[in-house]
Amino acid sequence: MAAPTLNTFRAGPDERGHFGPYGGRYVAETLMPLILEVEKAYEAAKRDPSFQAEFDHLARDYIGRPSPLYLAERLTEKFGGAKVYFKRDELNHTGAHKINNCLGQVLLARRMGKKRVIAETGAGQHGVATATVCALFGLQCTIYMGEVDVERQKPNVFRMKLLGAEVVPVTSGSRTLKDAMNEALRAWVSQVDDTFYVIGTVAGPHPYPAMVRDFQSVIGVEAREQMLEREGRLPDTLVACIGGGSNAMGLFHPFLDDSTVAMVAVEAGGHGVETGQHAASLAGGKPGVLHGNKTYLLQDDDGQITEAHSISAGLDYPGIGPEHAWLHDIGRVQYVHATDQEALTAFQLCAKLEGIIPALEPAHALAHVTKLAPTLPKDHILLMNMCGRGDKDVFAVAEHLGVKL
Amino acid sequence: MSRIATRFAELRAANRAGLVTFVTAGDPTLELSLNIVCGLPAAGADVIEIGMPFTDPMADGPAIQAAGLRALAAGTTMVKTLALVRAFRAGDNATPIVLMGYLNPVLAYGPDRFAADAAEAGVDGLILVDLPPEEEDELAPALAKNGLSLVRLATPTTDAARLPTVVGGAQGFVYYVAVAGVTGTKSAAIGSIESAVTRIKAATDLPVAVGFGIRDAASAAAIARVADAAVVGSAIVDVIANQLDADDLPAQVHGFVAELARGVRGARQG
């Protein structure tokens, strides 16, 4: 595409929720008035200092923000190139960046007087984070989760139940994350009066992609400040994994207008993009409409959505947030992919050299860092978002490594 | 005049409501589906909605979800859906055909190509569940150019402030979704439907068809007393699902549609 001539990359979306040709509000008419109501309430909340103050207070005392900026010295030494920093969002309460967004949305739901919260979940991280914040505020919480994921993520299912949430196994379609999202939308259509839908990533109908991005931007805002304090300058390269894209957008967005900062997002390459068994919507998909927004989707020639595959349940989704689709087309962010095997290798390397067991999602980001860092000079600062911890993945990884627990 | 407008004018002249029936293209197979669709007018269907199957039907309940999966498993594609309409049209040039479904398969086919091929096949209108008026720009010009009506949906959540957006520029008829929910689940109180239809009619001159929650002749008749047409989908699809192995599947579907038609046609008498 032609070189962008914009003054800013941070102004989107437009008032109809479009990022270039992507985004929008492709929902059933029953939901349209609700979506408009969420937008109106969010716009008002954004302008209300007391809303931001409540978010900041709980981000600090409940989530544990700011998350540390950490120089990974042994990995840096091993790679022999760029200085590698981690933004440690895996140290958040519930173990991932997901809770930043859940806190924001549940505060908004309370502000709107909603009594009941629903959410979809894949691996269970967003479900656990939503159930956690609902427990904190005593809100009724129902989580929709594909039957296949319920089976492969049993510990998270139990966590959600401990937190007082109802977990509904979804038996339609492929019984994974995309079907959980279909079912959550169906549930929302059926309970329009008192229900708030907490979407877990920067996707869905407007205002969700922008709203989730705003709540996750706390990651990039902190990182920017921490890096300036630590190094006296901005990082040169940001790296994050990407499924729907909320952790990547949260890190990138505050830096989008800093032309010296390069950004790389790493999609889940599964068994390899050439095999067709992957979750790389940008590398292997094309634009279409699903779940309320226009974006790149894995689909066949007839517009039927195809199944995604990734070792990481959190990246196992056939779409990507619309703002990423736009940033991809204009070339501001580079999108690459890492395979299951590469992520598994990076997962083990990080555990051994840094004493940090990463989630399989950021292990994809680290897999790319493994390739990129050695090619860069020693004064190059690379910042990777360590967006989740790997406790949830130890059983799956053991199985992949042929270890019986 | 379009087939849709002609048909509703005929219904008005006969002082009766219409019966709109829904089945999914290719359910359970393309051949049976064609037999089913071809027999619907004789069984009493006044307008035929044909579902374009989609992997992720987020506004549909279990019955129509399953119908879509059966159709996809049977190899249904957009090309084959349009071929089904063309084959129907060869024997019936009067009954309006409205394709119903989700936007993505239409976008994948290409808006201009879709509009041209659908019009050529004999399609009269289109209902896209996930395409609100605010996002129509990409498709509406191509449909208009080919004389296809884009039917708008109104729902119980469509309030007075939003109704003008929904019915402004609406074509063919307005489809009132009587229940805030997915297809095939519950029914709404007839009183609330009647007042909604009155509200919509105050805002548009188009006929109003009412769907969701109509399961049998009696509930179809109740709708026929207050609206211009009653739409039945899941209940018909259920007949298909329950008789998949029956040798006379099309006849069973037509028998059920005939019952519904008797309910609709007798509704305003006596």
Side-chain angles (χ1 to χ4, degrees):
Chain A
M1 297 215 84
T5 53
L6 301 168
N7 293 321
T8 175
F9 296 101
R10 303 180 66 230
D14 67 17
E15 61 187 23
R16 289 166 62 198
H18 292 140
F19 300 92
Y22 305 109
R25 269 192 276 245
Y26 295 87
V27 295
E29 174 58 27
T30 310
L31 288 181
M32 203 60 193
L34 280 77
I35 303 265
L36 294 170
E37 188 196 351
V38 170
E39 183 191 13
K40 206 169 143 197
Y42 176 57
E43 289 302 319
K46 259 203 309 201
R47 287 191 299 272
D48 180 352
S50 73
F51 181 80
Q52 190 61 45
E54 195 174 12
F55 180 88
D56 291 346
H57 157 68
L58 286 164
R60 188 190 68 202
D61 294 352
Y62 191 70
I63 298 179
R65 304 210 69 91
S67 67
L69 180 74
Y70 168 74
L71 174 61
E73 291 192 52
R74 295 196 67 205
L75 280 172
T76 298
E77 193 184 331
K78 158 115 182 140
F79 298 148
K83 226 170 160 178
V84 176
Y85 279 92
F86 290 159
K87 177 62 173 162
R88 299 207 47 196
D89 255 53
E90 101 279 11
L91 293 175
N92 293 341
H93 183 39
T94 70
H97 71 292
K98 290 289 183 190
I99 196 165
N100 303 327
N101 165 51
C102 296
L103 174 62
Q105 287 197 50
V106 171
L107 287 176
L108 184 63
R110 289 183 81 216
R111 207 182 144 93
M112 294 173 72
K114 303 289 181 185
K115 303 283 183 243
R116 191 166 177 278
V117 164
I118 60 171
E120 83 293 340
T121 198
Q125 293 304 103
H126 174 59
V128 167
T130 304
T132 296
V133 183
C134 286
L136 176 65
F137 290 114
L139 294 176
Q140 193 192 335
C141 178
T142 304
I143 305 293
Y144 294 87
M145 188 170 185
E147 199 177 40
V148 170
D149 291 331
V150 168
E151 189 51 40
R152 62 184 177 184
Q153 304 287 339
K154 282 180 188 158
N156 271 344
V157 173
F158 185 59
R159 273 185 198 109
M160 288 184 267
K161 289 179 178 168
L162 280 174
L163 292 159
E166 178 195 5
V167 180
V168 178
V170 174
T171 57
S172 59
S174 59
R175 296 174 293 141
T176 58
L177 178 55
K178 80 175 172 74
D179 310 285
M181 195 149 178
N182 289 332
E183 209 59 34
L185 285 164
R186 289 177 189 127
W188 200 19
V189 167
S190 310
Q191 296 150 7
V192 291
D193 293 332
D194 62 345
T195 302
F196 189 98
Y197 180 16
V198 175
I199 293 181
T201 191
V202 285
H206 179 62
Y208 283 94
M211 177 166 69
V212 176
R213 172 199 72 199
D214 293 348
F215 291 137
Q216 291 294 1
S217 289
V218 66
I219 300 170
V221 168
E222 285 175 9
R224 189 187 175 88
E225 196 175 306
Q226 290 167 320
M227 193 61 86
L228 285 172
E229 193 182 318
R230 183 77 175 262
E231 291 277 357
R233 68 180 185 89
L234 296 177
D236 298 301
T237 302
L238 307 177
V239 181
C241 64
I242 184 162
S246 69
N247 94 82
M249 194 54 70
L251 177 64
F252 294 171
H253 194 259
F255 293 96
L256 282 176
D257 287 340
D258 297 298
S259 59
T260 61
V261 181
M263 301 178 195
V264 187
V266 186
E267 293 192 288
H271 296 313
V273 168
E274 69 288 351
T275 66
Q277 293 179 300
H278 60 84
S281 311
L282 289 172
K286 58 187 178 195
V289 168
L290 179 71
H291 294 156
N293 61 173
K294 180 184 279 186
T295 188
Y296 282 79
L297 301 170
L298 299 181
Q299 55 180 315
D300 67 16
D301 291 340
D302 214 43
Q304 305 296 341
I305 307 304
T306 53
E307 310 261 323
H309 164 80
S310 171
I311 189 172
S312 148
L315 303 180
D316 203 348
Y317 178 71
I320 190 167
E323 192 166 9
H324 284 294
W326 175 69
L327 290 168
H328 167 266
D329 282 9
I330 64 171
R332 176 63 186 98
V333 176
Q334 185 194 359
Y335 293 85
V336 299
H337 41 86
T339 63
D340 288 354
Q341 192 53 51
E342 289 168 331
L344 267 176
T345 304
F347 179 97
Q348 295 168 83
L349 181 71
C350 190
K352 289 206 173 102
L353 285 189
E354 293 292 345
I356 296 171
I357 299 179
L360 280 170
E361 291 80 11
H364 285 75
L366 187 60
H368 186 70
V369 170
T370 305
K371 293 179 231 173
L372 182 61
T375 70
L376 297 168
K378 286 188 192 304
D379 61 353
H380 189 103
I381 301 175
L382 190 156
L383 169 59
M384 188 198 106
N385 197 8
M386 181 58 77
C387 63
R389 59 182 177 242
D391 307 36
K392 69 182 175 62
D393 293 317
V394 292
F395 295 100
V397 170
E399 199 180 312
H400 281 283
L401 298 178
V403 177
K404 202 167 160 85
L405 297 178
Chain B
M1 203 153 63
S2 72
R3 288 188 198 99
I4 296 174
T6 303
R7 177 52 48 95
F8 277 100
E10 289 164 4
L11 291 169
R12 209 162 30 249
N15 189 29
R16 73 170 178 88
L19 173 63
V20 182
T21 60
F22 171 96
V23 290
T24 298
D27 175 28
T29 65
L30 281 152
E31 191 189 347
L32 282 168
S33 176
L34 179 61
N35 283 343
I36 291 170
V37 171
C38 286
L40 289 172
D46 299 298
V47 176
I48 297 174
E49 286 179 7
I50 296 180
M52 302 176 282
F54 182 48
T55 40
D56 294 78
M58 64 177 185
D60 283 302
I64 293 177
Q65 288 174 37
L69 292 179
R70 286 194 298 271
L72 290 173
T76 307
T77 59
M78 190 65 84
V79 167
K80 290 177 180 173
T81 298
L82 295 179
L84 184 149
V85 175
R86 200 174 295 115
F88 170 86
R89 249 324 147 233
D92 184 323
N93 199 29
T95 308
I97 296 271
V98 178
L99 293 182
M100 182 165 186
Y102 296 80
L103 179 60
N104 200 54
V106 173
L107 288 183
Y109 196 90
D112 292 324
R113 178 180 165 226
F114 174 84
D117 289 1
E120 179 274 323
V123 173
D124 301 290
L126 192 61
I127 301 174
L128 291 172
V129 178
D130 56 352
L131 185 68
E134 287 84 347
E135 303 287 356
E136 272 177 18
D137 315 1
E138 191 172 4
L139 189 60
L143 297 179
K145 195 176 136 202
N146 288 278
L148 295 173
S149 302
L150 187 52
V151 174
R152 297 266 184 82
L153 299 143
T155 72
T157 58
T158 309
D159 55 20
R162 186 165 165 75
L163 188 58
T165 304
V166 170
V167 300
Q171 298 160 330
F173 58 94
V174 173
Y175 185 149
Y176 179 64
V177 172
V179 179
V182 294
T183 51
T185 45
K186 50 188 177 180
S187 309
I190 196 71
S192 71
I193 294 173
E194 189 168 10
S195 61
V197 171
T198 305
R199 203 157 56 87
I200 295 166
K201 282 191 163 289
T204 179
D205 294 332
L206 291 174
V208 178
V210 174
F212 280 47
I214 306 172
R215 306 286 316 167
D216 51 28
S219 48
I223 297 295
R225 285 183 203 106
V226 300
D228 297 306
V231 188
V232 186
S234 296
I236 297 173
V237 168
D238 280 343
V239 174
I240 297 176
N242 294 334
Q243 303 292 335
L244 285 177
D245 297 326
D247 296 334
D248 61 343
L249 172 60
Q252 300 236 14
V253 174
H254 299 145
F256 180 60
V257 170
E259 262 177 56
L260 297 170
R262 277 193 292 276
V264 167
R265 288 169 193 231
R268 293 185 196 168
Q269 293 159 12

